[in-house]
Amino acid sequence: MSVRLVRAGNPGWHIHDVTGGWVAVRRSPVPRGSVLSNVRCGATLDELAENLAEETRIETTAARRLRAFSRTAK
């Protein structure tokens, strides 16, 4: 997996190569107490990509739940 591919697939994140691994930082931070993360890490680029994919799944699930709650609250 290439850095370019990870960046292209995760435009909402800054991707950095750091000593000992990789770090992704959200471009727009989420509030404290959110189920989402502002920083994700990985020892390898592949691990970081997997962690970002998991973050996307969490984000999608949270958005679905919020929409469902909004419909029932009306």
Side-chain angles (χ1 to χ4, degrees), residues 53-70:
E54 176 63 19
E55 187 73 13
T56 299
R57 285 189 289 278
I58 294 167
E59 201 167 354
T60 301
T61 301
R64 271 193 223 126
R65 288 181 180 163
L66 183 59
R67 282 193 301 273
F69 177 76
S70 295

Side-chain angles (χ1 to χ4, degrees), residues 1-73:
M1 175 147 323
S2 72
V3 177
R4 181 176 286 169
L5 184 60
V6 175
R7 285 183 175 143
N10 298 282
W13 297 83
H14 293 285
I15 310 292
H16 303 282
D17 179 7
V18 295
T19 304
W22 293 85
V23 174
V25 179
R26 274 193 193 273
R27 292 181 186 273
S28 299
V30 294
R32 186 180 304 200
S34 172
V35 297
L36 302 174
S37 302
N38 285 313
V39 177
R40 294 301 296 244
C41 304
T44 66
L45 192 54
D46 287 335
E47 183 180 19
L48 177 62
E50 290 171 16
N51 292 340
L52 289 172
E54 176 63 19
E55 187 73 13
T56 299
R57 285 189 289 278
I58 294 167
E59 201 167 354
T60 301
T61 301
R64 271 193 223 126
R65 288 181 180 163
L66 183 59
R67 282 193 301 273
F69 177 76
S70 295
R71 283 192 297 268
T72 59

